[in-house]
Amino acid sequence: MPLSFRPAALALTLLAASPAAAQITGSPSYQFLQAVRDDKPDEVEKILAKPGSRIIDTQDPTTGESALHIVVKNDDDRALRYLRYLLARQADPNLKDRNGDTPLLVAVNHGYTDLVDVLVKESGSTGGAKVNVNVAGDGGQTPLIKAVLLHNEDMVRTLLDAGADPDRRDYALGKSARTYAEQDTRHPGLAKLFAALPKKPQRGVSGPTLR
């Protein structure tokens, strides 16, 4: 049964309107992403077995999604299997889609603690890029801020253990994960996770600097 990813009908409609549509939809990059969406592991492995390419990091021209973005939208055994496989093949976990989200941000948004755990602990283990837990989305919210707002203590603990910055502030309200946790009186366990962490000094923005 195919993984229940977002249908690619819109992308196909847009692509079909241009003369290059057949070339794009028939390209190895397109075939790779479609094979991941349709849960066709044999095709995925066949495409990635071709030497001299970085198809594994290709991104959908419409959504900006990479293969990692696609698989972290689901939380089941197949998603875990694909995630571990792609990370072992050195897929980049820090690419952003058109919404400004990395695969880690997508997994956090969905509340998929087990996928967050794999991204944090297994990325970079075979020589690929290590996930950057402090990359924020377009609104300035880091994965840690989002995890606090979801009241997910396990996820918060995982991100803090991985070096997430508790004092980085978002753009909208200028609040950090620590601040959100301290102000959440309904979930006192969140604030306790930050209590023993030293606060980092926050510099004001005063123009370009190398220090």
Side-chain angles (χ1 to χ4, degrees):
M1 181 183 297
L3 293 170
S4 56
F5 301 127
R6 186 191 313 177
L10 176 59
L12 289 173
T13 301
L14 294 174
L15 290 172
S18 68
Q23 179 180 356
I24 295 174
T25 58
S27 69
S29 296
Y30 173 85
Q31 293 171 357
F32 167 64
L33 291 179
Q34 197 60 40
V36 173
R37 289 190 179 98
D38 293 341
D39 188 19
K40 296 181 178 179
D42 290 343
E43 289 188 25
V44 170
E45 291 183 338
K46 180 180 178 181
I47 294 170
L48 292 181
K50 297 178 180 179
S53 69
R54 284 297 296 172
I55 288 178
I56 198 167
D57 287 332
T58 193
Q59 293 177 266
D60 186 289
T62 302
T63 65
E65 292 177 334
S66 68
L68 287 177
H69 285 95
I70 294 170
V71 301
V72 296
K73 289 182 177 180
N74 295 266
D75 186 25
D76 54 26
D77 290 342
R78 286 171 295 169
L80 280 169
R81 185 178 74 247
Y82 271 90
L83 180 57
R84 287 194 165 105
Y85 171 77
L86 292 170
L87 290 175
R89 293 296 301 261
Q90 302 183 5
D92 188 345
N94 298 312
L95 296 176
K96 286 190 172 186
D97 62 17
R98 291 290 178 88
N99 294 322
D101 290 332
T102 62
L104 179 60
L105 284 164
V106 174
V108 171
N109 283 336
H110 285 285
Y112 295 156
T113 305
D114 51 347
L115 299 184
V116 169
D117 195 62
V118 171
L119 279 165
V120 167
K121 295 180 179 178
E122 298 187 24
S123 63
S125 61
T126 60
K130 180 71 176 175
V131 69
N132 186 338
V133 296
N134 290 310
V135 173
D138 283 353
Q141 289 190 338
T142 63
L144 183 59
I145 289 176
K146 290 179 177 289
V148 168
L149 294 177
L150 288 170
H151 316 128
N152 192 321
E153 292 187 23
D154 288 338
M155 194 179 292
V156 169
R157 190 177 292 107
T158 295
L159 292 168
L160 286 174
D161 289 344
D165 186 347
D167 297 308
R168 178 167 174 174
R169 295 173 290 184
D170 60 20
Y171 304 147
L173 299 177
K175 293 183 179 181
S176 66
R178 188 197 301 271
T179 302
Y180 281 115
E182 291 173 346
Q183 294 178 348
D184 188 349
T185 57
R186 293 187 178 184
H187 302 87
L190 288 170
K192 291 180 181 178
L193 294 174
F194 292 86
L197 299 176
K199 291 188 177 182
K200 299 181 179 179
Q202 296 292 317
R203 282 198 328 220
V205 179
S206 57
T209 179
L210 290 174
R211 293 188 274 174

